[in-house]
Amino acid sequence: MPKTSIPNRLLHKARMVHPLSYESAATLISLSIGLAILFKLSSRGKSKPKQRKDHGFIELSAGQDPTIDIIAIHGLDGHREQSWTAENEKLWLKDFLPNDLPNARILSYGYDADTRSFIQTSSKTISHHAEDFVERLSQLRRMHPRRPIIFLAHSLGGIILKRALVLCHSDNFETDRTLRDISTSTLAVLFFGTPHSGANGIQLAEWMGRLFSVFMYTNTRILSDLNRDSPKLEDIQRHYQSATRQLSTIFFYEEYETPILGGRTKLIVPRHLAVIPGDNKARVTSMHADHCEMVKYTSADDENYCKVVDYLVELSERAKATVDEN
C-alpha cells in the first residue's frame, strides 16, 4: 500500500495507541475507515442515530389492570426499541409479550451508551446512568410505587441496573421513599449476557475507539470499566450482592460467537463471565444465539423467546400471589 494513501496523522495516531509496523498500521487504518463509512451508512433508515427523544422510558404495553411492571434496559451502543427488535421488525416486548402477560405494564429504557458517533458521545459514567435511571423510574412509579418489578437487562444494561439497585438500597437514599420502594418491589432480574466480571474483546474495542477518535466522536470511558476483573465491576458486584439477597435471578448466556473485526468471531460474554459466582439460588440458561441476537426473537414460537417467557410467566404468577396476600 503506498504511503501517500494514508494521512500521516492517522499513521502516527495508530502507532501511538498500539505498537504496529507501518504496513500493519496502514492496513488497519484502511479497515477502520471502511468500518467508519459502513457505520455512517448503517446509521440511516431504521438504524439512524439516536435522538434525545429516544432516551428515557417508553411504554410498549400499558397492560390490562396491570399487576406488575416489566422493565427492559439495553446494553452498549443500544437502543430502547431496536436492541430488542429482530430482523423481521418484530419487537417481542411489544408484539409477543403482551399476549402472554396481559396484566403486565411493559417499559423499555433508553440512554446514551454509544461508543462512537459522527455527532457526539456522552461523557456519563456507569454511576451517572444508574442515577438517571432510578430517578426517572421513581417518577414513573409515583402512582403505584409498590407494584412488583421484573427487570430485563442486556449486556452493559445489567451493570447499570445493578448499580441502580444499590443506590435504591443505599442509606444515602433512606429519606426518599420512592427509591426505597423500587428496591423492595423488585422481584426478579433476568440478565442477558451481562459481563459481571468483564467482557472479552474490550481491549480491542478500546483500541478501535482511540483510532476512530481521529475522525469521529468516541467514548472509551465505559469500555474501560468493562475490562476483565475491572475494579469498578468488582465494587458494583460487592455492593449489589449485599443489597439484593432476596431477588430471583436468571442468567442467560450466549451460545454462539459474535462477528467482530475482519471476519473474526468471539464469545463476548461467555458463561463464566455471564453468571455471578456463589449465587446458588440463581438459574442459568443458554441462548442459541450470539451476544446481540440473544434478545431478538422473530416469533412467539422462537425457542429463545419461549425460554424467556416461561420464566416471566412463572415470576409474574408469584408476584400476583404476593399482591393478593397483601
Side-chain angles (χ1 to χ4, degrees):
M1 180 178 293
K3 291 187 178 183
T4 55
S5 63
I6 302 292
N8 286 334
R9 67 188 183 94
L10 292 185
L11 286 170
H12 179 67
K13 177 83 170 182
R15 300 182 74 183
M16 283 184 64
V17 300
H18 200 282
L20 297 169
S21 66
Y22 178 91
E23 291 75 14
S24 296
T27 299
L28 277 174
I29 288 172
S30 296
L31 178 60
S32 300
I33 293 173
L35 288 171
I37 294 172
L38 180 62
F39 174 76
K40 186 172 184 179
L41 291 174
S42 69
S43 68
R44 299 172 183 172
K46 70 172 186 176
S47 299
K48 62 185 178 181
K50 293 188 287 293
Q51 305 297 321
R52 289 184 180 179
K53 65 182 180 181
D54 294 325
H55 298 158
F57 285 96
I58 182 172
E59 185 179 84
L60 300 176
S61 176
Q64 302 168 15
D65 299 320
T67 57
I68 191 167
D69 282 345
I70 295 179
I71 301 171
I73 177 170
H74 65 73
L76 205 62
D77 291 308
H79 184 275
R80 64 185 184 182
E81 293 178 271
Q82 294 169 14
S83 291
W84 310 91
T85 301
E87 58 184 9
N88 63 349
E89 302 296 327
K90 292 296 183 181
L91 171 56
W92 65 276
L93 294 169
K94 180 179 181 180
D95 296 322
F96 311 145
L97 194 57
N99 294 325
D100 291 306
L101 292 174
N103 298 118
R105 180 173 66 159
I106 303 171
L107 308 166
S108 186
Y109 183 73
Y111 60 102
D112 189 349
D114 287 352
T115 57
R116 64 209 184 286
S117 171
F118 284 100
I119 304 173
Q120 60 185 359
T121 58
S122 172
S123 62
K124 287 184 177 179
T125 63
I126 289 173
S127 292
H128 294 154
H129 284 304
E131 290 165 7
D132 286 350
F133 177 74
V134 295
E135 182 60 32
R136 293 191 184 200
L137 182 56
S138 66
Q139 294 174 2
L140 195 64
R141 286 172 49 86
R142 286 191 185 277
M143 296 299 294
H144 302 280
R146 297 298 183 90
R147 181 183 291 161
I149 307 170
I150 298 175
F151 287 108
L152 313 175
H154 181 224
S155 193
L156 170 67
I159 304 299
I160 291 173
L161 175 62
K162 290 199 296 184
R163 177 58 183 160
L165 291 176
V166 168
L167 290 174
C168 291
H169 187 267
S170 172
D171 289 337
N172 295 332
F173 289 89
E174 196 76 43
T175 57
D176 192 335
R177 215 35 258 180
T178 58
L179 296 186
R180 294 289 294 181
D181 284 339
I182 292 173
S183 177
T184 57
S185 299
T186 300
L187 176 69
V189 180
L190 279 63
F191 291 107
F192 297 83
T194 292
H196 300 285
S197 301
N200 289 331
I202 294 300
Q203 289 183 332
L204 175 62
E206 286 185 286
W207 184 87
M208 292 300 294
R210 291 194 292 271
L211 187 55
F212 275 133
S213 69
V214 175
F215 48 87
M216 67 192 301
Y217 294 96
T218 62
N219 176 14
T220 59
R221 175 179 291 187
I222 289 181
L223 283 174
S224 64
D225 287 334
L226 295 180
N227 269 308
R228 296 280 294 273
D229 301 318
S230 156
K232 180 69 173 180
L233 292 183
E234 292 178 358
D235 182 65
I236 291 174
Q237 182 55 36
R238 183 173 63 254
H239 289 93
Y240 174 77
Q241 285 184 299
S242 63
T244 57
R245 298 187 189 279
Q246 304 305 314
L247 293 188
S248 296
T249 305
I250 316 294
F251 297 117
F252 293 100
Y253 66 93
E254 62 221 51
E255 184 177 333
Y256 301 123
E257 295 185 341
T258 302
I260 48 173
L261 183 66
R264 296 169 56 200
T265 61
K266 182 180 284 291
L267 281 176
I268 304 299
V269 186
R271 187 185 192 280
H272 68 281
L273 298 178
V275 302
I276 296 176
D279 192 343
N280 298 323
K281 296 184 298 181
R283 287 175 281 182
V284 181
T285 301
S286 68
M287 299 293 266
H288 304 313
D290 64 24
H291 186 71
C292 298
E293 298 301 312
M294 68 189 305
V295 292
K296 300 177 181 181
Y297 317 125
T298 57
S299 74
D301 296 322
D302 186 298
E303 181 182 359
N304 287 333
Y305 173 75
C306 291
K307 291 180 181 181
V308 175
V309 78
D310 283 348
Y311 282 123
L312 290 177
V313 169
E314 173 195 329
L315 292 166
S316 297
E317 289 175 351
R318 189 191 309 173
K320 185 177 184 304
T322 301
V323 171
D324 290 343
E325 289 174 3
N326 296 333

